[in-house]
Amino acid sequence: MNVLVTGSSGLVGSTVMELLSSEGHIAVGFDQRKSPITDKFTVETGDLCDFPRLASIIKKYNINAIVHSGGISHPHAGEVSPYETVRTNILGTSTIFEAARIFNISKVVYLSSGAVYGNNSAAVTTIDSKVNPENTYAVSKLTGEQLGEVYNRNYGMNVISLRLAFVYGPNRFMPDPIKSLLERAVHGEDIDDAAGGDQQLEFIYVKDAALAVYKALQAENCSSSVFNIGTGVNTKIKEVAAVIKKIYPNVYIRIGPGDLGYDFIGAFDCSEAEKQLQFKAKYHLEAGITDYAKHLENIHKADK
Ligand SMILES: NC(=O)c1ccc[n+]([C@@H]2O[C@H](COP(=O)([O-])OP(=O)(O)OC[C@H]3O[C@@H](n4cnc5c(N)ncnc54)[C@H](O)[C@@H]3O)[C@@H](O)[C@H]2O)c1
């Protein structure tokens, strides 16, 4: 496959670039900012809403599939600039779908978010659970999914939307409680946070998120086009801290009660992704944090 990966300098996009390349595919990145990925792979810079630029890249590299991972990727960042979130995530996504339609690229994997569910009190969140987007980011993600459905129905495309749980791992630059705790632990710093221990999130390691994207790219004849992608496990930040303490026993860690302002979403039922995409997360929390810690330790050593 010749795959255009938008958001290739970001957390998920950069990992998808690595995975596609290691599997022998041509991966062409597209992002508005440069990153270490830019030097390692073929990456074009530009804005998601710039149709002529995207069209010339699609033609230049003979693209036949798209992973749309670019955009404003965090609910809190989305509230800083609602207008920019709508422009980038809704107009940007529609620009990608339109380019795909015009260039006869039927397979597009669109990265949506569990944020579309909003706060729910469910023990388990299935793909049929009520959606209730509560912020601009969540509205933008749901709109992208709905546009994808329209392109599937009206233009014969094969857009697959993946509702990702909270992704952690190397190259995350958006706020992330795991990153915040682990970076301090790797640097040997005490951790004494006033609040946040009760915040509960479903964490998925970025290598698993990239694997789900890869499986979705390969999937044919799925009976549905929107999937939950997570681990099916919600974890409190104080439990994350206990995992980090196990890896770094000499680091002092104390986290006060309360949350960090993220929605509470019942743990994902990912059975349809397992059945239709043959995707199942491989990394449980401790395995993912251990792998991430090795990456941060290497950076720390190189900086010394
Ligand atoms: N990280 C998570 O926890 C998470 C959870 C659920 C869903 N998602 C979704 O997955 C996708 C990828 O998330 P991520 O964590 O890799 O995000 P990220 O913020 O790490 O990467 C997004 C990339 O998009 C680029 N970008 C933003 N606006 C652009 C524009 N106008 N033109 C070109 N490039 C632009 C950014 O420069 C960035 O490199 C996003 O669509 C996000 O909504 C992420």
Side-chain angles (χ1 to χ4, degrees):
M1 284 183 287
N2 290 3
V3 188
L4 180 68
V5 180
T6 72
S8 52
S9 290
L11 171 65
V12 180
S14 61
T15 314
V16 168
M17 292 285 288
E18 300 271 4
L19 179 58
L20 285 169
S21 301
S22 72
E23 293 292 328
H25 299 283
I26 306 282
V28 177
F30 181 81
D31 205 297
Q32 65 184 4
R33 72 187 172 96
K34 293 187 188 269
S35 74
I37 282 290
T38 319
D39 303 326
K40 201 168 163 191
F41 297 108
T42 304
V43 177
E44 299 278 358
T45 47
D47 186 279
L48 282 168
C49 301
D50 185 346
F51 182 86
R53 177 97 182 102
L54 282 161
S56 72
I57 292 166
I58 287 170
K59 266 169 76 174
K60 180 175 170 189
Y61 297 100
N62 206 12
I63 295 298
N64 52 28
I66 299 178
V67 173
H68 181 34
S69 186
I72 292 181
S73 64
H74 195 285
H76 300 168
E79 289 313 287
V80 173
S81 176
Y83 178 82
E84 184 51 30
T85 303
V86 168
R87 189 194 78 87
T88 304
N89 288 6
I90 299 182
L91 184 58
T93 298
S94 122
T95 309
I96 293 294
F97 290 163
E98 219 19 38
R101 178 180 76 82
I102 287 165
F103 285 93
N104 292 321
I105 300 167
S106 64
K107 178 54 78 68
V108 180
V109 178
Y110 163 66
L111 296 191
S112 182
S113 168
V116 300
Y117 294 112
N119 272 295
N120 66 19
S121 51
V124 177
T125 302
T126 73
I127 204 68
D128 297 321
S129 293
K130 182 173 176 279
V131 288
N132 180 29
E134 295 184 52
N135 50 51
T136 314
Y137 170 75
V139 168
S140 75
K141 292 277 100 182
L142 184 60
T143 306
E145 284 183 13
Q146 291 170 334
L147 277 172
E149 301 279 284
V150 169
Y151 274 82
N152 287 348
R153 207 171 38 243
N154 296 358
Y155 304 107
M157 284 179 46
N158 184 5
V159 178
I160 294 189
S161 297
L162 304 181
R163 289 179 179 167
L164 295 180
F166 196 103
V167 190
Y168 68 101
N171 300 326
R172 176 156 183 135
F173 68 96
M174 283 289 169
D176 164 18
I178 292 190
K179 177 182 175 180
S180 156
L181 295 174
L182 196 56
E183 279 186 337
R184 283 177 284 167
V186 167
H187 293 148
E189 293 168 19
D190 286 352
I191 297 168
D192 192 354
D193 290 353
D198 297 320
Q199 176 71 57
Q200 203 163 305
L201 287 162
E202 180 164 344
F203 293 105
I204 179 168
Y205 193 46
V206 68
K207 289 183 181 173
D208 276 332
L211 180 64
V213 169
Y214 189 56
K215 295 282 190 184
L217 272 175
Q218 290 173 314
E220 281 171 18
N221 307 319
C222 292
S223 56
S224 40
S225 56
V226 183
F227 295 91
N228 280 344
I229 301 293
T231 56
V233 180
N234 258 324
T235 308
K236 288 193 171 154
I237 298 303
K238 56 188 170 198
E239 295 166 319
V240 171
V243 170
I244 294 175
K245 181 80 182 162
K246 200 169 152 196
I247 305 171
Y248 297 99
N250 296 330
V251 171
Y252 171 83
I253 306 183
R254 192 196 71 87
I255 303 178
D259 67 31
L260 296 169
Y262 291 98
D263 288 344
F264 171 81
I265 305 168
F268 278 4
D269 169 1
C270 303
S271 53
E272 285 304 315
E274 202 173 333
K275 223 186 296 169
Q276 297 188 48
L277 305 180
Q278 279 77 52
F279 167 76
K280 194 167 167 51
K282 291 181 176 168
Y283 288 82
H284 56 76
L285 191 67
E286 188 172 337
I289 290 180
T290 304
D291 198 64
Y292 187 14
K294 276 191 207 133
H295 170 86
L296 292 175
E297 278 172 19
N298 287 337
I299 294 177
H300 187 46
K301 273 186 214 138
D303 285 348
K304 271 190 184 169

